[in-house]
Amino acid sequence: MIIVTKHSGAATRRPALKTLMSAVLMALTSTAAIAESLPDQPYRVNKAAGKQAETVVGKEQTSQGQTTPATAKRSAQSANEEQGKAEKATTEEVNEDNSAVIMDEMVVTEKAPRDSHYTSPSTRVTRSHIERQNAQTTEEVLKYQPSLQIRQRYIGDPNGVLGIRGADMFSTARNMVFADGLPLHNQLQASFNGAPRWSMVGPNEIDSVDVVYGPFSAEYSGNSIGGVVNMKTHMPMKEEYYMEGSFFVQPWKFIGDDSGTFQGHREFFSFGNRFDDLTVFLSYNRLDAESQPQSYFIDNTGLGTPKRTDTPVTGAVPVFDTRGTPSLIYGDTGPERVRSDLVKLKLGYAITPDLEAIFTGAFEERTRRTEFQRNYLTDAKGAPFYGDDRNSDDAVFAGSAFNVVNSGFGPSDDHRQTLQLGLQFKGAITDTWNIDSTISYLDVFTDNRSSAFFSPNDPLNKNTGQLQVFNEFNWVNYDLKLGTKELFGWEQLEFLGGYHFDNYTLGFQQFDLTDYANQVGKENVGRRNAGETMTNALFGQFAYHFLPDWDLTLGARYEWWSGENGIASGRPLPDRDDEAISPKASIGFEPDNWKFRYSFGRAYRFPVIAELYQNLQSPTSITTANALLNAEDGWHHNFMVEYGLPDGYVRVNVFRDDVRNLIQSVRRASGVLTESAFQNIPETSTTGVELIYDQQRVLGSDFDLSFNATWMDAIVEDGGPDIVFTEADGRRTVFNLTGKQRIRLPEWRFNVFTTYHINQAWDVSMAGRYTNDSFNDIDNGDTVNGVFGSQDGYFFLDFKTNYRFQNNIFGKDTKSRVSFGINNLTDETAFVFHPYPQRTFFIEGALSF
């Protein structure tokens, strides 16, 4: 048994190894038993090319590379006609530098399995498309996809939360993210800190990403209400080396004395090879970056009448806050400095020619520091003024009194270490059945967050602060999926079914810092939080092909959920459990180049630990959990019309979501101390229309063009009891949520991405991202934009150009690339509560051999 010490003076903890080992044993036993019973299969590996051939006969794909039921039927017919024949095909591989290389021929003997999420609309991002973006982190790969928004405040932001369709960016438990079947979504937390663990995957590892919209497949839980992101990372077919480095810089100026130039760099190295049945991939990704100021110190409580004891100051900046209140900004947090080091090892082993085991091990160490907070205020003697350490007006500017909060100027230091382990068995186990079995474990060994209550330069500095320790933060997931294209030998009937298990554990402690740099004091037991959730699920999905080009899919998912060992504010809470069945249905018609599909899904989203148990408090905010939350209950619809174009498609989706008992963090007080609490909102709805046009080499030209636009109306149909809200100036208002727009969900979004291929070696890309403004306050009272705290509309224009070389270095054929890019070309300033980056310049170089 492993015991990990979190911090000097902090408690120790033991990971949930009993649960992990039982899940591992179950996974290995079930998969090994299946593997041992396999009949011998023909060995379909091209030894000369060093590459296992994926076998496809007559396979027809959608625009995302999926095979739908109707096309699968035609593929099966083609395969039967060619049964017993060996067809030879020439394969073209696209290297990471986007140059095409003709590979050796390989034998093609049968059709490949289709993607299981065909009942849901989806889009795909490929490796070549990623290289044409200024993507320094994994989440940036997705930023031009339809109906999707990522709140990446700066490069390396650990809180890069994801929103898809009607799931806003802070509803993080309504989206799922996987890398090679391993879950990266964080179902422990559910707000700004609930972002997927994107940095467990380096952007250069990614071969492709599918974004699957809505909960229309029984394969996924109700956490797919918004959608699912599936990443496929690279596995080598031969000996290969890859190196990439980049440098980026952002000149910044918005308000007061906040100007500066902030920069960063990233390095990536990988080695891969295939030794007969064993494949090895080893990679290292480092990111070192600093942000623009993330928060501004503002008094928006209503400017007062000066008192004789108040200190006259200069340097404050008069502004309006988001609700139109005259306010003063008197400082900012300065840059956040982030460093992340990720080491990853992947091993693949061909158990049989058709069944492979893949082991993944990844370790990340991440630090984040803010230590250069800036004070705009000076007193009559020219000395910085940090406040009088009281929650009352203490400074005077231009005839108005305001309060300066000392704790805002205190530095902070975060340190996190994360280990992820995964084992996947995937492939064919008989002539007609496939398996996909995955066990994964993610454990945050260390997650310590220190915050000082005073600037070191403050004359009143007492060296005090607080230490927040996540002494447990881990999850275990196991999935067993079995599928066949010919259930009971009937080619018209397909089946996908399986079992899911997950266990999420979180423990939190808070300590006083009697000496910020060196001494940990006593624990604040009243702020201890802990909890555990567990889910078991069974699911099945049948697809029936009838008449020419028609298919009908019916499925259901049955889940048992429990919340256990809950502690909130140091008090134990009773265990609870729940269960639900989620039916799914889809009907499709695909004549010639057309595709028509209606999909329905009911989905239950159970509360996560932070929503149930985690009460948090800092000098400026209070967040209260709710152990009595009900599961979200949603009815979801999507109607898709698509027309296939040469090397592309045009598509329209109309979607509607009706969700009861939506779980929302509702702000109850604003000002110096904000207060929020989780609650159920009785009924909400989202109606949307999505247009996508995607085509390479438009009209035979050298242009690729992708465009998508989404209109969406997300409102509260029934808000339940009235909300009592305390304004920043202390006034109490009462309102009802019924009829209000849902927060952080813009009505309009569109993205455009175009590439001009000057020649085979040189391309130029331009891209635009637009969203209109939305609300941050649940009463829709924040109507002022362009200020700290607002949810602004914006249009960011991005540029990148790549040039590729082929050389011979040390007797090896090498490929290299140099790139130059600019994000936010027009230098627009916009806020997503915190500011987005202004104009940022990139230089990048890569070498592979």
Side-chain angles (χ1 to χ4, degrees):
M1 183 166 296
I2 301 173
I3 300 177
V4 180
T5 301
K6 288 302 188 181
H7 194 284
S8 175
T12 59
R13 41 81 59 162
R14 293 176 173 85
L17 292 181
K18 182 178 179 181
T19 304
L20 171 64
M21 294 308 297
S22 61
V24 170
L25 182 61
M26 176 171 55
L28 295 178
T29 303
S30 61
T31 308
I34 294 172
E36 288 175 2
S37 64
L38 299 182
D40 292 336
Q41 299 288 334
Y43 198 75
R44 298 196 306 267
V45 176
N46 185 343
K47 291 285 188 178
K51 178 176 180 178
Q52 183 170 348
E54 294 292 340
T55 54
V56 182
V57 169
K59 179 181 178 182
E60 300 182 49
Q61 294 184 326
T62 67
S63 48
Q64 288 73 49
Q66 300 167 215
T67 307
T68 60
T71 57
K73 176 183 177 182
R74 293 193 292 269
S75 298
Q77 293 170 346
S78 176
N80 289 336
E81 292 170 1
E82 298 296 329
Q83 187 174 10
K85 298 180 180 179
E87 298 185 56
K88 291 186 177 181
T90 302
T91 303
E92 183 175 274
E93 180 184 271
V94 179
N95 288 325
E96 288 182 335
D97 63 359
N98 200 32
S99 61
V101 178
I102 304 300
M103 303 295 291
D104 294 339
E105 66 180 20
M106 60 181 168
V107 178
V108 181
T109 58
E110 65 175 82
K111 60 185 181 297
R114 61 186 173 84
D115 290 335
S116 57
H117 53 68
Y118 64 90
T119 55
S120 306
S122 65
T123 61
R124 173 166 290 181
V125 185
T126 63
R127 178 73 241 166
S128 59
H129 193 277
I130 293 170
E131 282 192 354
R132 298 197 291 268
Q133 303 180 30
N134 295 313
Q136 300 298 310
T137 60
T138 296
E139 61 267 42
E140 289 184 275
V141 167
L142 302 170
K143 61 187 175 184
Y144 303 107
Q145 294 308 292
S147 306
L148 183 147
Q149 192 170 3
I150 295 175
R151 191 200 69 155
Q152 188 188 52
R153 302 170 298 165
Y154 59 90
I155 297 171
D157 183 5
N159 297 329
V161 289
L162 168 68
I164 304 178
R165 285 191 172 178
D168 70 83
M169 293 177 292
F170 278 14
S171 299
T172 57
R174 297 192 196 116
N175 301 297
M176 307 177 80
V177 178
F178 296 90
D180 301 319
L182 309 184
L184 301 180
H185 44 266
N186 176 5
Q187 291 181 10
L188 294 169
Q189 298 165 297
S191 186
F192 69 90
N193 54 11
R197 293 305 168 97
W198 302 106
S199 55
M200 299 305 292
V201 175
N204 295 100
E205 293 181 59
I206 301 171
D207 279 346
S208 65
V209 186
D210 287 342
V211 182
V212 183
Y213 295 87
F216 303 114
S217 172
E219 182 179 0
Y220 301 114
S221 72
N223 299 96
S224 64
I225 283 175
V228 179
V229 175
N230 283 320
M231 290 183 277
K232 184 180 184 302
T233 66
H234 185 64
M235 286 294 278
M237 298 299 171
K238 55 183 176 59
E239 185 179 16
E240 60 181 40
Y241 300 84
Y242 185 85
M243 294 167 279
E244 182 172 299
S246 61
F247 173 78
F248 43 91
V249 60
Q250 175 198 184
W252 172 269
K253 173 62 180 174
F254 173 63
I255 202 169
D257 294 329
D258 72 341
S259 61
T261 299
F262 308 108
Q263 61 190 29
H265 57 90
R266 185 179 65 87
E267 293 80 37
F268 177 85
F269 305 92
S270 70
F271 161 76
N273 204 351
R274 186 174 185 117
F275 307 94
D276 294 325
D277 294 332
L278 177 66
T279 304
V280 178
F281 181 79
L282 179 65
S283 66
Y284 170 67
N285 189 79
R286 166 182 280 190
L287 176 68
D288 195 326
E290 54 186 3
S291 74
Q292 71 280 7
Q294 286 303 293
S295 294
Y296 290 84
F297 309 140
I298 182 172
D299 186 342
N300 63 343
T301 60
L303 304 180
T305 302
K307 302 186 297 293
R308 187 176 304 175
T309 56
D310 294 340
T311 302
V313 296
T314 60
V317 183
V319 296
F320 289 98
D321 76 352
T322 60
R323 300 175 75 86
T325 304
S327 308
L328 289 172
I329 286 178
Y330 56 86
D332 66 67
T333 56
E336 291 188 1
R337 179 72 180 270
V338 172
R339 176 172 170 175
S340 172
D341 293 275
L342 173 68
V343 179
K344 180 173 287 188
L345 172 66
K346 293 201 299 181
L347 300 173
Y349 182 76
I351 300 172
T352 74
D354 303 297
L355 179 66
E356 186 174 23
I358 300 175
F359 166 80
T360 301
F363 178 78
E364 182 202 30
E365 183 159 21
R366 168 182 283 272
T367 58
R368 178 173 60 153
R369 293 184 175 91
T370 58
E371 49 189 353
F372 299 107
Q373 289 77 6
R374 288 180 287 199
N375 187 351
Y376 303 165
L377 304 180
T378 55
D379 61 19
K381 297 180 181 180
F385 180 73
Y386 289 93
D388 63 3
D389 197 23
R390 292 182 298 163
N391 190 21
S392 61
D393 290 346
D394 53 14
V396 178
F397 176 82
S400 297
F402 67 104
N403 187 48
V404 179
V405 180
N406 299 68
S407 62
F409 298 104
S412 65
D413 191 348
D414 300 354
H415 181 212
R416 189 172 79 195
Q417 294 177 319
T418 305
L419 175 70
Q420 185 175 43
L421 302 173
L423 183 62
Q424 183 180 44
F425 295 87
K426 189 170 185 178
I429 55 176
T430 71
D431 289 336
T432 57
W433 283 89
N434 296 319
I435 187 173
D436 185 350
S437 177
T438 306
I439 175 83
S440 67
Y441 177 58
L442 185 143
D443 193 357
V444 179
F445 288 153
T446 302
D447 194 344
N448 296 335
R449 305 176 185 182
S450 304
S451 302
F453 291 160
F454 295 89
S455 166
N457 301 318
D458 189 339
L460 301 178
N461 180 23
K462 303 172 186 175
N463 284 325
T464 55
Q466 69 180 28
L467 171 67
Q468 295 181 323
V469 177
F470 287 88
N471 61 357
E472 282 195 271
F473 196 111
N474 58 69
W475 60 74
V476 178
N477 280 253
Y478 173 65
D479 285 280
L480 173 63
K481 303 173 187 178
L482 296 169
T484 179
K485 301 176 290 294
E486 301 175 8
L487 187 61
F488 307 125
W490 190 15
E491 293 183 359
Q492 291 178 293
L493 188 62
E494 295 185 15
F495 172 76
L496 174 70
Y499 167 74
H500 168 84
F501 167 82
D502 64 55
N503 178 240
Y504 287 83
T505 306
L506 184 143
F508 173 84
Q509 293 173 278
Q510 187 165 308
F511 298 83
D512 295 330
L513 291 175
T514 54
D515 181 332
Y516 173 71
N518 302 303
Q519 187 65 44
V520 178
K522 65 179 181 179
E523 180 189 358
N524 190 330
V525 179
R527 295 181 184 174
R528 182 184 296 178
N529 304 299
E532 181 178 2
T533 62
M534 188 178 299
T535 306
N536 289 271
L538 293 172
F539 73 92
Q541 188 165 280
F542 297 85
Y544 174 54
H545 313 301
F546 64 100
L547 301 178
D549 305 317
W550 284 86
D551 68 85
L552 174 66
T553 303
L554 299 174
R557 186 179 184 91
Y558 191 18
E559 295 175 299
W560 300 266
W561 172 90
S562 64
E564 302 173 354
N565 303 316
I567 297 174
S569 298
R571 296 176 300 172
L573 297 169
D575 295 346
R576 50 178 297 194
D577 58 77
D578 200 356
E579 59 185 291
I581 186 167
S582 305
K584 318 285 183 179
S586 179
I587 186 166
F589 176 50
E590 300 184 8
D592 299 322
N593 292 331
W594 288 94
K595 295 182 176 68
F596 303 89
R597 180 169 297 278
Y598 165 72
S599 297
F600 162 80
R602 190 170 184 183
Y604 291 86
R605 203 275 284 182
F606 299 103
V608 301
I609 293 174
E611 295 167 333
L612 292 168
Y613 308 126
Q614 193 172 26
N615 297 332
L616 294 177
Q617 185 170 343
S618 74
T620 58
S621 66
I622 297 174
T623 301
T624 304
N626 183 352
L628 301 179
L629 289 171
N630 294 315
E632 295 182 345
D633 176 7
W635 298 70
H636 305 266
H637 310 264
N638 190 93
F639 179 68
M640 182 187 78
V641 179
E642 180 181 311
Y643 183 75
L645 304 170
D647 295 318
Y649 65 100
V650 60
R651 177 193 300 165
V652 175
N653 283 303
V654 180
F655 58 91
R656 168 81 179 196
D657 301 336
D658 292 281
V659 180
R660 296 179 295 190
N661 292 323
L662 181 125
I663 300 173
Q664 185 77 58
S665 177
V666 176
R667 181 176 292 185
R668 301 300 184 102
S670 185
V672 175
L673 182 66
T674 62
E675 297 184 32
S676 302
F678 286 102
Q679 70 175 61
N680 286 115
I681 297 177
E683 189 173 347
T684 65
S685 70
T686 304
T687 305
V689 180
E690 190 178 79
L691 170 66
I692 305 172
Y693 168 78
D694 193 330
Q695 190 173 25
Q696 300 180 36
R697 308 288 179 170
V698 177
L699 299 177
S701 69
D702 292 320
F703 282 94
D704 299 342
L705 177 60
S706 176
F707 172 83
N708 59 76
T710 303
W711 170 83
M712 196 166 63
D713 182 31
I715 62 173
V716 178
E717 300 283 358
D718 180 0
D722 289 347
I723 302 292
V724 179
F725 182 78
T726 303
E727 301 278 357
D729 59 7
R731 292 180 295 111
R732 292 166 67 87
T733 58
V734 179
F735 61 89
N736 194 279
L737 294 178
T738 302
K740 303 294 185 184
Q741 292 288 320
R742 300 243 331 269
I743 57 176
R744 305 182 194 96
L745 288 175
E747 183 180 14
W748 287 98
R749 303 174 189 171
F750 78 75
N751 302 286
V752 61
F753 195 103
T754 182
T755 298
Y756 176 56
H757 300 274
I758 300 172
N759 53 44
Q760 288 186 341
W762 190 10
D763 60 59
V764 177
S765 298
M766 292 287 292
R769 295 171 282 151
Y770 170 81
T771 181
N772 73 321
D773 58 357
S774 58
F775 295 107
N776 186 70
D777 294 350
I778 204 161
D779 69 340
N780 298 172
D782 52 323
T783 56
V784 179
N785 292 326
V787 297
F788 174 60
S790 61
Q791 297 284 327
D792 288 345
Y794 58 79
F795 177 65
F796 294 147
L797 191 63
D798 305 329
F799 164 83
K800 187 175 184 181
T801 183
N802 298 293
Y803 193 85
R804 300 171 178 84
F805 306 85
Q806 290 194 352
N807 337 78
N808 188 287
I809 301 178
F810 304 123
K812 289 183 175 291
D813 291 330
T814 64
K815 302 176 182 63
S816 56
R817 170 176 54 85
V818 292
S819 305
F820 172 73
I822 305 174
N823 274 357
N824 192 0
L825 191 64
T826 58
D827 202 24
E828 182 174 351
T829 300
F831 287 83
V832 56
F833 194 93
H834 306 277
Y836 278 122
Q838 293 177 348
R839 185 187 293 124
T840 306
F841 301 88
F842 301 84
I843 298 175
E844 191 173 84
L847 175 68
S848 63
F849 57 91

